[in-house]
Coordinates of all heavy atoms in Angstrom, one line a residue:
A1 N -38.8 -15.3 33.0 CA -40.3 -15.5 33.1 C -40.5 -16.9 32.7 O -39.8 -17.5 32.0 CB -41.1 -14.5 32.1
I2 N -41.8 -17.3 33.2 CA -42.3 -18.6 33.0 C -42.7 -18.8 31.6 O -43.4 -17.9 31.0 CB -43.5 -19.0 33.8 CG1 -43.1 -19.1 35.3 CG2 -44.1 -20.3 33.5 CD1 -44.3 -19.2 36.2
N3 N -42.2 -19.8 30.7 CA -42.4 -20.0 29.3 C -43.1 -21.3 29.1 O -42.2 -22.2 29.0 CB -41.1 -19.7 28.6 CG -41.4 -19.7 26.9 OD1 -42.6 -19.8 26.6 ND2 -40.6 -19.7 26.2
V4 N -44.4 -21.3 28.9 CA -45.0 -22.5 28.7 C -44.7 -23.2 27.3 O -44.6 -24.4 27.3 CB -46.5 -22.5 28.8 CG1 -47.3 -23.8 28.5 CG2 -46.9 -22.0 30.2
E5 N -44.3 -22.3 26.5 CA -43.9 -22.9 25.2 C -42.4 -23.3 25.1 O -41.9 -23.6 24.0 CB -44.2 -21.8 24.1 CG -45.7 -21.4 24.1 CD -45.8 -20.2 23.0 OE1 -45.0 -19.6 22.7 OE2 -47.1 -20.1 22.6
D6 N -41.6 -23.2 26.1 CA -40.4 -23.7 26.3 C -40.4 -25.2 26.1 O -41.3 -25.9 26.5 CB -39.7 -23.4 27.7 CG -38.4 -23.9 27.8 OD1 -37.4 -23.2 27.2 OD2 -38.1 -24.8 28.5
L7 N -39.4 -25.7 25.5 CA -39.4 -27.2 25.2 C -39.4 -28.1 26.4 O -40.0 -29.0 26.4 CB -38.1 -27.5 24.3 CG -37.9 -28.9 23.8 CD1 -39.0 -29.4 22.8 CD2 -36.5 -29.1 23.1
T8 N -38.7 -27.6 27.4 CA -38.8 -28.4 28.6 C -40.1 -28.4 29.3 O -40.5 -29.6 29.7 CB -37.8 -27.8 29.8 OG1 -36.5 -27.7 29.0 CG2 -37.7 -28.6 31.0
V9 N -40.9 -27.4 29.3 CA -42.2 -27.5 29.9 C -43.1 -28.1 28.9 O -44.0 -28.9 29.3 CB -42.7 -26.0 30.0 CG1 -44.1 -26.0 30.6 CG2 -41.9 -25.1 30.9
K10 N -43.0 -28.0 27.5 CA -43.7 -28.9 26.6 C -43.6 -30.4 26.8 O -44.6 -31.0 26.8 CB -43.4 -28.4 25.2 CG -44.1 -27.1 24.8 CD -43.8 -26.9 23.2 CE -44.5 -25.7 22.6 NZ -44.2 -25.4 21.3
N11 N -42.3 -30.8 27.0 CA -42.1 -32.2 27.1 C -42.8 -32.6 28.4 O -43.4 -33.9 28.5 CB -40.6 -32.4 27.2 CG -40.0 -32.2 25.8 OD1 -40.6 -32.2 24.8 ND2 -38.6 -32.0 25.8
F12 N -42.7 -31.9 29.5 CA -43.3 -32.2 30.8 C -44.8 -32.4 30.7 O -45.4 -33.4 31.2 CB -43.0 -31.3 31.9 CG -43.7 -31.5 33.2 CD1 -43.2 -32.5 34.0 CD2 -44.7 -30.7 33.5 CE1 -43.9 -32.7 35.3 CE2 -45.5 -31.0 34.7 CZ -45.0 -31.9 35.7
L13 N -45.5 -31.4 30.0 CA -46.9 -31.5 29.7 C -47.3 -32.7 28.8 O -48.3 -33.4 29.1 CB -47.5 -30.3 29.1 CG -47.3 -29.0 30.0 CD1 -47.7 -27.7 29.2 CD2 -48.2 -29.2 31.3
C14 N -46.4 -33.0 27.8 CA -46.8 -34.2 26.9 C -46.7 -35.5 27.8 O -47.5 -36.4 27.7 CB -45.7 -34.2 25.8 SG -46.2 -32.9 24.5
E15 N -45.7 -35.6 28.6 CA -45.3 -36.7 29.4 C -46.5 -36.9 30.4 O -47.0 -38.0 30.7 CB -44.2 -36.7 30.0 CG -42.7 -36.8 29.1 CD -41.5 -36.7 29.8 OE1 -41.5 -36.4 31.1 OE2 -40.5 -36.7 29.2
S16 N -47.1 -35.8 30.9 CA -48.1 -35.8 31.9 C -49.5 -36.2 31.1 O -50.5 -36.4 31.9 CB -48.1 -34.6 32.7 OG -46.9 -34.4 33.3
G17 N -49.6 -36.0 29.8 CA -50.8 -36.1 29.3 C -51.8 -35.0 29.4 O -53.1 -35.1 29.3
S18 N -51.3 -33.8 29.6 CA -52.1 -32.6 30.0 C -52.1 -31.6 28.8 O -51.1 -31.7 28.0 CB -51.6 -31.9 31.3 OG -51.5 -32.7 32.3
V19 N -53.2 -30.9 28.6 CA -53.4 -30.0 27.5 C -53.4 -28.5 28.2 O -54.0 -28.3 29.3 CB -54.6 -30.3 26.8 CG1 -54.9 -29.2 25.7 CG2 -54.7 -31.5 26.2
W20 N -52.6 -27.6 27.5 CA -52.6 -26.2 27.9 C -53.3 -25.3 27.0 O -53.1 -25.4 25.8 CB -51.2 -25.7 28.2 CG -51.1 -24.4 29.0 CD1 -51.5 -23.2 28.7 CD2 -50.5 -24.2 30.3 NE1 -51.3 -22.3 29.6 CE2 -50.7 -23.0 30.7 CE3 -50.0 -25.1 31.2 CZ2 -50.2 -22.5 31.8 CZ3 -49.6 -24.7 32.4 CH2 -49.7 -23.3 32.8
K21 N -54.4 -24.6 27.5 CA -55.1 -23.7 26.6 C -55.1 -22.2 27.1 O -55.1 -21.9 28.3 CB -56.6 -24.0 26.6 CG -56.9 -25.5 26.1 CD -58.4 -25.8 26.1 CE -58.8 -27.2 25.5 NZ -60.2 -27.4 25.5
F22 N -54.8 -21.4 26.2 CA -54.6 -20.0 26.4 C -55.8 -19.1 26.1 O -56.5 -19.5 25.1 CB -53.4 -19.3 25.6 CG -52.0 -19.8 26.0 CD1 -51.2 -20.5 25.3 CD2 -51.5 -19.3 27.3 CE1 -50.0 -20.8 25.7 CE2 -50.3 -19.6 27.7 CZ -49.5 -20.4 26.9
N23 N -56.1 -18.2 26.9 CA -57.1 -17.2 26.6 C -56.5 -16.2 25.5 O -55.3 -16.0 25.5 CB -57.7 -16.5 27.8 CG -58.5 -17.5 28.6 OD1 -59.2 -18.3 28.3 ND2 -58.6 -17.0 29.9
P24 N -57.4 -15.6 24.7 CA -56.9 -14.6 23.8 C -56.3 -13.4 24.7 O -56.6 -13.1 25.8 CB -58.1 -14.1 23.1 CG -59.2 -15.2 23.2 CD -58.8 -15.8 24.6
P25 N -55.3 -12.6 24.1 CA -54.8 -11.5 24.8 C -55.9 -10.4 25.0 O -56.8 -10.3 24.4 CB -53.6 -10.9 23.7 CG -53.3 -12.0 22.9 CD -54.7 -12.9 22.8
H26 N -55.7 -9.7 26.2 CA -56.6 -8.6 26.5 C -58.0 -9.1 26.7 O -58.9 -8.5 26.4 CB -56.7 -7.5 25.4 CG -55.3 -6.8 25.3 ND1 -55.0 -5.6 25.9 CD2 -54.2 -7.1 24.5 CE1 -53.8 -5.2 25.7 NE2 -53.3 -6.0 24.8
S27 N -58.2 -10.3 27.2 CA -59.4 -10.9 27.5 C -59.4 -11.5 28.9 O -59.8 -12.7 29.1 CB -59.9 -11.9 26.5 OG -58.9 -13.1 26.4
S28 N -59.0 -10.7 29.9 CA -59.0 -11.3 31.3 C -60.4 -11.7 31.9 O -60.4 -12.6 32.7 CB -58.5 -10.2 32.3 OG -59.2 -9.0 32.1
H29 N -61.4 -11.2 31.3 CA -62.7 -11.7 31.7 C -63.1 -13.2 31.4 O -63.9 -13.9 32.0 CB -63.9 -10.8 31.0 CG -64.0 -10.9 29.5 ND1 -63.1 -10.3 28.7 CD2 -64.7 -11.7 28.7 CE1 -63.3 -10.6 27.4 NE2 -64.3 -11.4 27.5
M30 N -62.3 -13.8 30.4 CA -62.5 -15.1 30.1 C -61.7 -16.0 31.2 O -62.1 -17.2 31.3 CB -61.8 -15.5 28.7 CG -62.7 -14.9 27.6 SD -62.1 -15.4 26.0 CE -63.0 -14.6 24.9
G31 N -61.0 -15.3 31.9 CA -60.4 -16.1 33.1 C -60.8 -15.7 34.5 O -60.1 -15.6 35.4
G32 N -62.1 -15.1 34.4 CA -62.6 -14.7 35.6 C -62.7 -15.6 36.9 O -62.7 -15.1 38.0
V33 N -62.7 -16.9 36.5 CA -62.8 -17.9 37.6 C -61.7 -17.9 38.5 O -61.8 -17.8 39.8 CB -63.1 -19.3 37.0 CG1 -62.9 -20.4 38.1 CG2 -64.3 -19.4 36.3
W34 N -60.4 -17.9 38.0 CA -59.2 -17.8 38.7 C -58.8 -16.3 39.0 O -58.3 -16.1 40.2 CB -58.1 -18.6 38.1 CG -57.6 -18.1 36.8 CD1 -56.8 -17.0 36.5 CD2 -58.2 -18.8 35.6 NE1 -56.7 -17.1 35.1 CE2 -57.5 -18.0 34.5 CE3 -58.9 -19.7 35.2 CZ2 -57.7 -18.3 33.2 CZ3 -59.3 -19.9 33.7 CH2 -58.6 -19.3 32.8
E35 N -59.2 -15.4 38.3 CA -58.8 -14.0 38.6 C -59.6 -13.5 39.9 O -59.1 -12.8 40.7 CB -59.1 -13.1 37.4 CG -58.4 -13.3 36.3 CD -56.9 -12.9 36.4 OE1 -56.6 -12.2 37.3 OE2 -56.1 -13.1 35.5
R36 N -60.9 -14.2 40.0 CA -61.6 -13.7 41.2 C -61.0 -14.4 42.6 O -60.9 -13.8 43.5 CB -63.0 -14.3 41.0 CG -63.9 -14.3 42.3 CD -64.2 -12.8 42.6 NE -65.2 -12.7 43.6 CZ -65.4 -11.5 44.3 NH1 -64.9 -10.4 44.0 NH2 -66.4 -11.5 45.3
M37 N -60.4 -15.6 42.5 CA -59.7 -16.2 43.5 C -58.5 -15.5 43.8 O -58.1 -15.4 45.0 CB -59.5 -17.7 43.2 CG -60.7 -18.6 43.0 SD -61.8 -18.6 44.5 CE -63.0 -17.4 44.0
I38 N -57.7 -14.9 42.9 CA -56.5 -14.3 43.2 C -57.0 -12.9 43.9 O -56.3 -12.5 44.9 CB -55.8 -13.9 41.8 CG1 -55.2 -15.2 41.4 CG2 -54.7 -12.9 42.1 CD1 -54.3 -15.0 40.1

């Protein structure tokens, strides 16, 4: 499975200067923007 918290992915995001934000569990309505597109 994809693991954003994996060290390799973390290093890539740090080098890219990007921030990753998670929604709380069981709160799919908070991601309605991309869930609608899917």
Side-chain angles (χ1 to χ4, degrees):
I2 296 172
N3 186 4
V4 176
E5 296 177 347
D6 181 73
L7 182 60
T8 305
V9 180
K10 280 187 175 180
N11 291 337
F12 174 78
L13 293 174
C14 290
E15 293 174 358
S16 302
S18 302
V19 177
W20 194 289
K21 295 184 179 181
F22 286 114
N23 289 333
H26 295 266
S27 58
S28 58
H29 61 281
M30 293 185 179
V33 175
W34 57 86
E35 293 289 352
R36 174 65 174 170
M37 294 298 99
I38 288 181

